[in-house]
Structure formats: C-alpha cells, structure tokens
Amino acid sequence: MAGSQLQKRAKNAVDPHEEPSAPWGWHGSFPRGREIGGWITAIAVFAMAFIGNHIAETERLWLLGIGAFLVIYLIWARVRQRTAWRR
C-alpha cells in the first residue's frame, strides 16, 4: 500500500534511471537563448524586408507580417513569463 503522503517531485524532474544523461544537464531548456534567438530572427526578417531586390511588394508584406508576428509573440511570452507566479 502506498504511503499517505505523496512525494513532491519537481515539475521538470527527470528520473536518472530512465534518462542516464540527466546528471550531465542535457535535459534543460534554454528560455533565455530562445528569447535572444527570437529577437535576432525578428531583426533579420525586418532587415530582409528592407534590404533586397524585391520586385513586388508581396514579399515585403509577408516579411513584415512574419516579423510583426514574431515581435508580438516575444512580447506576449515575456509578459506571460513575468505573470506566471500569479496563477
């Protein structure tokens, strides 16, 4: 019969028996790196929109739309990350 109290386990905890590489730290995420990569990608997309040989404006509109979506998503993710403790 199981104990009356459940053992607390960290949210992202990995059992070393299931994943032998867990002690080396390969099971983490890179939230800061993901955010930096997102901003670099958004800047690159905006740079491609204004630097290039665009014959029609359709390409530029797509690039601006994708860049705007990236910026909105990055801001939304940052706000969501800051208010996560309230939930």
Side-chain angles (χ1 to χ4, degrees):
M1 187 161 154
S4 61
Q5 293 182 355
L6 297 175
Q7 291 180 347
K8 277 284 196 181
R9 187 170 156 183
K11 186 176 183 180
N12 295 330
V14 177
D15 187 15
H17 298 293
E18 292 176 6
E19 302 287 340
S21 60
W24 297 324
W26 291 0
H27 291 292
S29 63
F30 303 101
R32 194 75 179 146
R34 184 175 45 212
E35 184 177 355
I36 291 169
W39 283 110
I40 290 172
T41 304
I43 290 169
V45 167
F46 285 127
M48 284 190 295
F50 294 110
I51 301 171
N53 57 350
H54 303 295
I55 297 171
E57 292 296 317
T58 306
E59 300 167 6
R60 185 170 299 174
L61 291 175
W62 271 99
L63 288 170
L64 290 174
I66 291 170
F69 173 76
L70 276 171
V71 168
I72 290 169
Y73 174 76
L74 288 168
I75 292 172
W76 174 76
R78 173 60 74 108
V79 169
R80 190 171 149 229
Q81 176 186 8
R82 288 187 179 194
T83 59
W85 62 272
R86 293 182 189 170
R87 292 182 209 154

